[in-house]
Amino acid sequence: MDCLTEGTHGRRHKRISVEVRKSLLHKIFFEQKKIKVAAKELKLNYSSAKTILHLYRKNMRKNAKAPAMCSNVCGFRPINQNDSTTLEYNLKVSQGGEVIRKMKHIAVE
């Protein structure tokens, strides 16, 4: 948590750092932890964690409509086929820049 700021009603609150926000989202999406568990691990208020998640999802929906964002969703490369009877390719599934699964496929015609 970075700094204390004065709210509109005189209440002091802490600003949650970008690193903590990213850690929370990583725990929820990649480690598939419940919001309550991830918030407790990061010593965050449960309602603050829900707000961070809500704002993240809201921004993702807004950005998903932009054509520039959609162009990097799925990528591919051409396959160089050496043998006419065998096709070999690697499939890499990633989410948020983190590789989730790698698979090697061999197709015989």
Side-chain angles (χ1 to χ4, degrees):
M1 310 228 184
D2 283 341
C3 61
L4 276 126
T5 56
E6 194 73 25
T8 56
H9 299 288
R11 300 177 80 187
R12 295 169 59 98
H13 60 274
K14 293 182 180 179
R15 177 161 294 177
I16 300 170
S17 69
V18 175
E19 293 82 22
V20 173
R21 291 175 198 219
K22 285 182 181 180
S23 297
L24 176 71
L25 295 172
H26 187 272
K27 286 179 183 294
I28 292 170
F29 292 122
F30 294 111
E31 297 175 22
Q32 298 188 354
K33 294 186 178 184
K34 301 284 184 187
I35 300 170
K36 190 176 268 187
V37 173
K40 190 176 246 185
E41 288 177 5
L42 294 170
K43 298 178 183 170
L44 285 176
N45 190 341
Y46 176 65
S47 63
S48 298
K50 287 196 317 183
T51 300
I52 292 168
L53 185 62
H54 171 75
L55 291 173
Y56 173 77
R57 286 179 174 157
K58 182 179 174 182
N59 288 334
M60 288 305 294
R61 278 193 300 270
K62 188 188 325 178
N63 291 338
K65 294 176 186 174
M69 291 295 291
C70 295
S71 63
N72 293 329
V73 172
C74 185
F76 63 92
R77 291 186 207 160
I79 297 174
N80 295 329
Q81 193 171 356
N82 297 333
D83 186 359
S84 62
T85 59
T86 305
L87 178 64
E88 184 178 317
Y89 61 93
N90 295 319
L91 179 65
K92 182 169 71 170
V93 180
S94 63
Q95 182 179 12
E98 184 174 320
V99 176
I100 297 173
R101 187 179 307 147
K102 288 183 181 180
M103 295 171 273
K104 185 172 190 173
H105 293 276
I106 301 173
V108 180
E109 293 179 5

